[in-house]
């Protein structure tokens, strides 16, 4: 790390060879071993992003001069990697190693858990990529394919039903209602399989893909987190699901998403803007 707090090593690649939704679709295809229609989801998401971008651009009255957060995120990631490299995992189970690595990320990034579902900025892509690489390097599993049994043991979910897991996650966020808190909640419900259990695999992926498209504000993850937060502030909304409910491209799904968000977010989302 140099005097400016940035890394001397090459930064993690943040350009998406395919969208995060495409990666999610691949993971489901690989797991289920059957064809699905996620290509349709991706096409919808791309069209929605273009529509949202053209509509919202008229509302961008001000452009803030923002220092990119990417170098600061990279510095944090370098610090985490160094801590993991120096950790002694020789006497720990795979679940304990997973829990320790996840804790290091969650302690460093207050928006870490959202990256399991949505990655609206370069920083979020970087964070998720390195987390998956660290899990792979220390546990040996293919990136993105850590057995759910290991993850559940690490989180204390081993002997719990999906309803009990959902209740535990919601209790964790009961007093946390900020924009990022809500995205973290969605990330945990999604990564734990709770959303898939409630909605079905395909419907859960539809919703997460469309949510990501809506909160990206037309930038497709091509801006830093600091810039993205500025764009979110400009929207004036307090819930990420408000952007989903008010995305004109998804108008036909509004009632369905309204019902989902009432259940998931206790009616926080506002669809009256």
């Amino acid at each position: 790390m140099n005097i400016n707090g940035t890394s001397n090593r090459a930064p993690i690649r943040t350009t998406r060879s395919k969208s995060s939704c495409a990666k999610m679709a691949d993971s489901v295809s690989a797991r289920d071993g059957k064809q699905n229609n996620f290509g349709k989801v991706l096409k919808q998401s791309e069209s929605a992003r273009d529509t949202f971008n053209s509509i919202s651009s008229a509302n961008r009255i001000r452009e803030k001069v923002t220092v990119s957060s990417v170098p600061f995120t990279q510095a944090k990631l370098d610090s985490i990697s160094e801590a993991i490299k120096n950790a002694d995992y020789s006497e720990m189970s795979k679940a304990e190693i997973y829990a320790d690595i996840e804790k290091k990320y969650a302690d460093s990034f207050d928006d870490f858990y959202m990256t399991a579902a949505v990655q609206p900025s370069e920083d979020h892509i970087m964070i998720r990529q390195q987390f998956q690489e660290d899990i792979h390097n220390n546990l040996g599993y293919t990136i993105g394919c850590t057995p759910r049994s290991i993850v559940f043991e690490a989180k204390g979910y081993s002997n719990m039903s999906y309803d009990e897991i959902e209740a535990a996650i919601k209790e964790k966020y009961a007093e946390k209602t900020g924009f990022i808190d809500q995205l973290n909640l969605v990330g945990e419900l999604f990564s734990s399989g709770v959303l898939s259990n409630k909605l079905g695999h395909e419907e859960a992926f539809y919703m997460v893909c469309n949510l990501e498209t809506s909160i990206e504000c037309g930038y497709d993850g091509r801006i830093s987190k600091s810039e993205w937060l500025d764009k979110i502030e400009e929207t004036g909304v307090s819930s990420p699901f408000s952007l989903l409910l008010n995305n004109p491209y998804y108008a036909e799904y509004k009632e369905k998403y309204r019902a989902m968000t009432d259940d998931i977010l206790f009616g926080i989302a506002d669809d009256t803007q």
Side-chain angles (χ1 to χ4, degrees):
M1 191 172 294
N2 62 32
I3 194 170
N4 295 317
T6 56
S7 173
N8 289 318
R9 72 176 185 175
I12 292 175
R13 177 179 60 83
T14 61
T15 53
R16 288 171 169 168
S17 55
K18 58 174 72 176
S19 73
S20 60
C21 292
K23 294 175 185 176
M24 287 189 272
D26 286 347
S27 69
V28 171
S29 297
R31 183 197 62 209
D32 292 345
K34 60 184 180 181
Q35 294 293 321
N36 57 55
N37 65 351
F38 281 109
K40 179 180 178 182
V41 182
L42 299 177
K43 186 175 181 181
Q44 282 188 326
S45 293
E46 290 168 2
S47 298
R49 183 176 296 116
D50 292 341
T51 301
F52 189 88
N53 191 30
S54 63
I55 292 175
S56 61
S57 61
N59 297 322
R60 295 186 191 128
I61 300 173
R62 59 193 174 90
E63 291 292 339
K64 293 185 179 179
V65 178
T66 304
V67 176
S68 173
S69 54
V70 170
F72 302 101
T73 294
Q74 185 64 61
K76 280 188 176 184
L77 290 173
D78 290 342
S79 178
I80 294 173
S81 283
E82 188 65 21
I84 292 173
K85 180 180 178 181
N86 294 329
D88 181 7
Y89 292 141
S90 60
E91 301 298 322
M92 297 174 67
S93 68
K94 288 188 174 182
E96 289 171 331
I97 296 171
Y98 185 98
D100 183 75
I101 292 174
E102 184 178 74
K103 185 177 186 302
K104 284 178 168 58
Y105 276 85
D107 287 347
S108 296
F109 298 104
D110 62 4
D111 52 1
F112 166 70
Y113 290 110
M114 68 177 272
T115 66
V118 293
Q119 300 157 24
S121 75
E122 288 185 60
D123 303 61
H124 295 115
I125 298 169
M126 291 165 62
I127 292 166
R128 198 65 194 175
Q129 284 182 343
Q130 184 171 300
F131 171 72
Q132 291 178 328
E133 289 169 7
D134 282 333
I135 293 296
H136 166 70
N137 292 336
N138 288 276
L139 297 183
Y141 299 116
T142 301
I143 288 179
C145 296
T146 306
R148 182 154 289 178
S149 59
I150 297 295
V151 179
F152 275 20
E153 183 180 347
K155 292 177 173 291
Y157 297 159
S158 294
N159 299 312
M160 298 171 66
S161 67
Y162 279 114
D163 286 345
E164 290 172 328
I165 294 172
E166 178 182 0
I169 294 172
K170 286 185 174 181
E171 181 179 1
K172 176 180 176 180
Y173 291 94
E175 302 300 323
K176 301 176 181 179
T177 59
F179 194 94
I180 297 300
D181 294 323
Q182 294 174 55
L183 288 176
N184 281 333
L185 168 61
V186 173
E188 294 214 56
L189 291 173
F190 181 69
S191 63
S192 66
V194 168
L195 288 186
S196 293
N197 183 66
K198 291 174 71 71
L199 309 174
H201 295 307
E202 184 172 308
E203 199 65 59
F205 278 99
Y206 260 105
M207 187 179 75
V208 168
C209 288
N210 294 346
L211 175 62
E212 180 176 82
T213 297
S214 298
I215 67 172
E216 283 176 334
C217 301
Y219 289 91
D220 192 21
R222 292 187 293 263
I223 56 177
S224 71
K225 178 166 62 175
S226 51
E227 293 171 306
W228 172 70
L229 288 171
D230 277 353
K231 300 304 177 187
I232 292 301
E233 182 182 345
E234 288 176 24
T235 68
V237 301
S238 59
S239 168
F241 275 93
S242 295
L243 293 175
L244 174 61
L245 292 171
N246 288 284
N247 190 324
Y249 193 83
Y250 301 133
E252 63 182 296
Y253 307 117
K254 184 169 183 175
E255 291 308 313
K256 178 165 61 176
Y257 287 147
R258 171 81 264 175
M260 289 180 186
T261 55
D262 279 346
D263 181 46
I264 296 168
L265 293 176
F266 316 104
I268 290 174
D270 176 16
D271 63 352
T272 60
Q273 70 177 37

